[in-house]
Each structure stands twice: as C-alpha cells, then as structure tokens.
Amino acid sequence: MSTSKAEATTPVNGSLTRQRRTYSIGELARMFEVTPRTIRFYEQEGLLAPERRGQTRIYHEKDRVRLKLTLRGKRLGFSLAEIREVIEMYDAMPDGNARQLKRLLEILADKRNNMERQLEDIRLMQRELDDVEMRAREVLERLGQD
Amino acid sequence: MSTSKAEATTPVNGSLTRQRRTYSIGELARMFEVTPRTIRFYEQEGLLAPERRGQTRIYHEKDRVRLKLTLRGKRLGFSLAEIREVIEMYDAMPDGNARQLKRLLEILADKRNNMERQLEDIRLMQRELDDVEMRAREVLERLGQD
DNA sequence: GACGACGTTGACGTTAACGTAAAGTGGTTG
DNA sequence: CAACCACTTTACGTTAACGTCAACGTCGTC
C-alpha cells in the first residue's frame, strides 16, 4: 500500500452539457491506476457487468461508479466478496423481500462498526506516528549539534 | 473482515502494583483472538522476538505492545513487511544515522497520507451506507403497508 | 505411568487478488 | 497491405498470510 493520488472523479464535461457517457477498459484502467486485468477480474467476480459491443466491453457511468466504490472498499480492507454482497443486495433492493432487506441492514451495521473501529485505529495510529516522529527529530537534532 | 470486539488492553493488575509481566503464546493468542500459529508466523517475519526459556517462548509487555500495534496496522491495511520496516527503524533509532532517520520520516509521512486518505474514504463510505440504509428502510416501509 | 493440556519445529496446503504469457480479433493509418 | 494498436479469452504463475497436520517434548495430576 504505497502513496498515490489519483481519484478519477467525474470528468469535467469538456464541450457539451451531457456527453462522454462511455469508457473503454483501458481508459477506466488509466483513470483509476489499475490494470485492465484487474477490471476484468472484478467483472469475473461479479462486481461489474459492462455492456458488450460484440466482444469488447463498454463501460458507462454506472460501471465507473461501481469501480470507484469497489476500489474505495478495497482501500478500507473489504474483500471483493464482501463488496459484491453489498452491491448485489443493493441491486436487488427494489423488489427485495423483507428478509433480504433486513439482512442488508445487518451487513450495513456491521460495516458501520468496522468504520468506527477504523476511525479509532487511525486516531491511535496517528498518535503513534506523532510520537515516533518526535523522537526521530530529537535524535536528528542531536546528530546536527555534535 | 467480520465484526468482533476484543482489543486486549492493559491487564487490570489484580493484586500487586506491578506484576504479571510475562505471557505464554496461548495467552497472547486468546487475548487478541488470533492463533498461536499467527504469532509464530509474525516472529518468523521479524515482527516479534520473544525471549526463550529453553524451547518455549516467553512474551513480555514489549512483545504484547508490538503485537497490538501489528494487528492494528493490519486492520488499517498495512502489509506485514511495511509494519516490520517501521518497527525495525524504530528499534534502530537511538544509533540511527541521519539517512536512516530521514528515510523513517519519509515512511511516516507516507503512512500519514494513507491515514488521511482513509479518513476521507471512511467519510464517503459512511455517506454511501447512510444512503443505502435509507432506501432499504423506505422499501421496508412500503412492504409493511401493502 | 498414562493422560491431557500446552508447547515446539518442519512441511505442505489454501485462498484472495491479481500478474503474465500465448494466441487470436478488429480497426486505422502510413 | 502491412504494421500497429487496443481489445479479447484461456490458462498457468505468484505472493501474502496464514491453516493444517505430523511427530515430538514437558509438565501437572489422577
């Protein structure tokens, strides 16, 4: 998990007021700094279901958003299976039966707990980092003086 | 990544005012809800270096803290290799040369960026969860009325 | 002194999440 | 038309992080 910056938000809509609705796999890959292989793998795992023009995949806004959510979920440590579960339930929502919906709410509560824990972890970890950094700077100081 | 609760903080110091300094591998495992195998693996990967009484491992407070930090790091998505890198540099700090220390500060800055990004991710994810939950509740409502 | 609980070291197995290489298709461009 | 992309499928390879199993040693106790 190294540093990077790109988040690939909504495109800036260069000319007209609602266009550029589709993407190739390569475009999407560059946008999010993943490989096409990764995107195909996500499809194979049921996280994406792009349109097909013949053999080649055509991605729309919806697919892009899904990919974005998927990658965000990954950064938060969710497995692809977990992410898929939520996505599937979300898609099945309109006609979902009560049991399914309650199950979904359970999962969401679980994720929420997870988020809370991570927030706490982050706070603690930041303190640790502060501490280590302080010590490191002190040592550096002394090295400079001698 | 499922839900659980134990964090295994400092023991409550039952009788005297500074005791219970060592742990067996099994105790530690139960404390943090991992298997002994996991703990041995972390040692093999250079994250722990417990004392040995003959063959058997003896863990002190220091080791327990390290394990705690390691697991926290894991929950935040760091690899064992990354965690080890930080631990090693931390240990080598007192006599670390300037280059090493600067490298450490770089790594820390990197982790910090990571934390920031995760905070943002969590905020965004929480909104998504809110949204999904709302819709789910709406659908449930309608199911109840009809 | 047999038994069970706990510890030890190998060594091989497993899963998730891709990487990589091979071999083919379809379009456009000099 | 040949060369070059970008895309496709199939399939085997790889890495991290353990799980699992075998075979053994060491206590305490019944």
Side-chain angles (χ1 to χ4, degrees):
Chain A
M1 200 180 259
S2 205
T3 313
S4 79
K5 54 268 118 16
E7 169 67 339
T9 72
T10 312
V12 200
N13 220 324
S15 46
L16 290 165
T17 10
R18 275 304 155 193
Q19 240 64 28
R20 195 35 192 317
R21 299 202 88 33
T22 87
Y23 309 86
S24 77
I25 195 172
E27 285 176 299
L28 230 53
R30 277 190 301 277
M31 276 185 175
F32 291 101
E33 297 189 305
V34 300
T35 69
R37 166 68 175 137
T38 298
I39 297 182
R40 291 195 197 99
F41 181 72
Y42 289 172
E43 176 176 350
Q44 177 183 323
E45 295 297 300
L47 294 165
L48 297 171
E51 185 196 339
R52 295 274 187 150
R53 176 133 46 231
Q55 284 273 72
T56 80
R57 297 162 170 86
I58 313 268
Y59 299 88
H60 297 167
E61 271 313 299
K62 182 189 172 186
D63 302 308
R64 210 203 43 139
V65 170
R66 273 203 187 179
L67 179 54
K68 187 170 68 180
L69 293 179
T70 297
L71 294 173
R72 182 180 299 153
K74 277 213 54 188
R75 287 197 301 269
L76 294 177
F78 298 119
S79 74
L80 297 185
E82 291 177 304
I83 298 170
R84 180 189 50 206
E85 196 176 8
V86 173
I87 288 185
E88 278 175 359
M89 304 201 77
Y90 183 82
D91 285 359
M93 260 192 44
D95 62 334
N97 55 38
R99 215 180 46 70
Q100 281 257 332
L101 288 172
K102 289 183 191 270
R103 171 89 181 108
L104 175 56
L105 289 180
E106 275 177 35
I107 296 184
L108 293 182
D110 198 77
K111 305 283 180 211
R112 237 177 259 281
N113 286 335
N114 221 306
M115 303 287 96
E116 291 305 326
R117 170 155 219 183
Q118 288 208 37
L119 279 176
E120 179 64 8
D121 280 342
I122 288 181
R123 277 196 288 273
L124 294 172
M125 183 66 86
Q126 281 179 336
R127 285 190 207 171
E128 300 284 349
L129 293 182
D130 288 343
D131 186 42
V132 177
E133 180 164 349
M134 243 193 49
R135 291 161 183 269
R137 291 200 184 285
E138 279 176 15
V139 180
L140 261 180
E141 273 303 299
R142 255 165 244 165
L143 283 184
Q145 285 178 355
D146 297 349
Chain B
M1 202 180 256
S2 208
T3 313
S4 80
K5 53 270 116 37
E7 170 67 340
T9 72
T10 313
V12 200
N13 221 321
S15 47
L16 290 165
T17 11
R18 276 304 155 191
Q19 240 63 28
R20 197 36 194 313
R21 298 200 89 32
T22 87
Y23 310 86
S24 78
I25 195 171
E27 286 176 298
L28 229 54
R30 277 188 302 276
M31 277 186 173
F32 291 101
E33 298 189 303
V34 299
T35 69
R37 166 66 175 138
T38 298
I39 298 182
R40 292 195 197 99
F41 181 72
Y42 289 173
E43 176 176 352
Q44 175 183 325
E45 294 297 300
L47 293 164
L48 297 171
E51 186 196 337
R52 294 275 186 148
R53 176 132 44 231
Q55 284 273 71
T56 80
R57 296 162 170 85
I58 314 267
Y59 298 88
H60 297 168
E61 272 312 300
K62 182 187 172 186
D63 301 307
R64 211 202 42 135
V65 170
R66 273 203 189 180
L67 179 54
K68 187 170 69 178
L69 293 179
T70 297
L71 293 174
R72 182 180 299 152
K74 276 213 56 190
R75 286 197 301 271
L76 294 178
F78 297 119
S79 73
L80 297 184
E82 290 177 304
I83 297 171
R84 180 188 50 206
E85 196 176 9
V86 172
I87 287 184
E88 278 176 358
M89 303 202 77
Y90 182 82
D91 284 359
M93 259 193 45
D95 63 332
N97 55 39
R99 216 179 46 69
Q100 282 257 332
L101 288 172
K102 288 183 193 266
R103 170 89 179 107
L104 175 56
L105 289 180
E106 275 176 34
I107 295 184
L108 293 182
D110 198 76
K111 305 282 180 211
R112 236 176 260 281
N113 286 334
N114 221 305
M115 302 289 96
E116 291 304 327
R117 169 157 219 179
Q118 288 208 36
L119 279 177
E120 179 63 10
D121 280 340
I122 288 181
R123 278 196 291 273
L124 293 173
M125 184 66 86
Q126 282 178 336
R127 286 192 206 171
E128 301 283 348
L129 293 182
D130 288 344
D131 186 42
V132 177
E133 181 164 349
M134 244 192 50
R135 291 161 182 267
R137 292 200 182 285
E138 279 177 17
V139 180
L140 261 180
E141 273 303 300
R142 255 165 246 166
L143 282 184
Q145 287 178 354
D146 298 348

